Amino acid sequence: MYGWVEGETMQEAGCVGETEFAQALAAREREIQLLRERNRILQGQIDLLELRQEKQHRQIRSYEAEIEQLYQEKQLLEQMIQELPELYRRKLQARLQPIRERIAAIQVENRQLRKELYQLSYRVQHIDQLDSPGWIQLPSLRRRDPKSSAERSTKALPVSPPGVQPCS
């Protein structure tokens, strides 16, 4: 009997060991399952962070390209600003040139008219001094076209009295 009881104890002891082992194994399986689930969650977070990082790198490259483009535009604008004073001078000179030419033509015409006026006043003065009868015809005083200033038409003066030389 003692042996049988002892055998029974051993069986019970074997069952108890197997139960504890099964429970420990089940606990380990749950722990492994939880670790796998946690690993899957962490892997998803890593993938998400990698996607964010890749997106940030793309955005950084986009910003760098935009900065380069803006820098080139800035260089172009700075060059244009440097050229503006000279461009302004050239355009102003081009616009002023016809005005200068017109002023020069008017001055030439003015000198010619003054010369004619002086000659006429000299003639009138000499005619008055000689007290000679006769009419003096003065040039017509109509407004003249500066382009045709060389083609002036003056009315003829009467023949000068004897001994007086006409001015020309």
Side-chain angles (χ1 to χ4, degrees):
M1 216 171 136
Y2 184 70
W4 183 77
V5 171
E6 194 178 19
E8 197 174 294
T9 308
M10 293 222 12
Q11 251 185 347
E12 288 176 2
C15 279
V16 170
E18 285 181 25
T19 308
E20 286 178 8
F21 179 72
Q23 288 175 349
L25 187 60
R28 283 286 187 195
E29 285 294 324
R30 281 193 308 271
E31 194 176 317
I32 290 172
Q33 190 64 26
L34 288 174
L35 288 173
R36 283 184 180 153
E37 182 63 25
R38 185 163 182 194
N39 186 25
R40 188 183 61 76
I41 291 171
L42 290 175
Q43 188 61 43
Q45 289 176 346
I46 289 171
D47 292 343
L48 181 63
L49 291 175
E50 285 175 347
L51 286 174
R52 283 183 186 167
Q53 183 182 19
E54 186 179 323
K55 183 179 178 182
Q56 286 175 344
H57 282 293
R58 281 194 310 263
Q59 195 163 13
I60 287 171
R61 285 190 298 272
S62 171
Y63 288 152
E64 288 171 344
E66 187 176 349
I67 287 171
E68 180 62 29
Q69 180 184 3
L70 290 173
Y71 179 76
Q72 290 173 357
E73 287 178 15
K74 179 187 126 280
Q75 294 292 85
L76 180 65
L77 290 174
E78 285 177 351
Q79 181 182 0
M80 288 174 65
I81 288 172
Q82 293 295 325
E83 294 173 357
L84 276 178
E86 182 58 32
L87 179 67
Y88 177 77
R89 276 189 218 96
R90 283 189 307 224
K91 290 206 177 247
L92 182 63
Q93 291 302 320
R95 289 180 182 168
L96 288 179
Q97 188 58 33
I99 296 170
R100 287 184 180 135
E101 291 171 359
R102 176 77 174 126
I103 288 172
I106 290 172
Q107 287 174 339
V108 166
E109 182 181 8
N110 187 23
R111 283 192 291 274
Q112 181 63 34
L113 290 173
R114 284 177 184 256
K115 182 179 173 184
E116 289 177 16
L117 180 64
Y118 177 75
Q119 288 174 351
L120 288 176
S121 67
Y122 183 76
R123 286 181 186 171
V124 168
Q125 183 181 11
H126 278 358
I127 290 175
D128 284 345
Q129 287 175 356
L130 295 176
D131 233 4
S132 84
W135 295 91
I136 297 177
Q137 292 180 343
L138 298 176
S140 78
L141 298 176
R142 5 176 212 185
R143 188 169 185 104
R144 298 169 199 243
D145 183 15
K147 294 178 183 173
S148 66
S149 63
E151 302 170 9
R152 288 197 187 359
S153 65
T154 56
K155 294 181 182 175
L157 292 173
V159 178
S160 300
V164 176
Q165 293 266 334
C167 296
S168 55

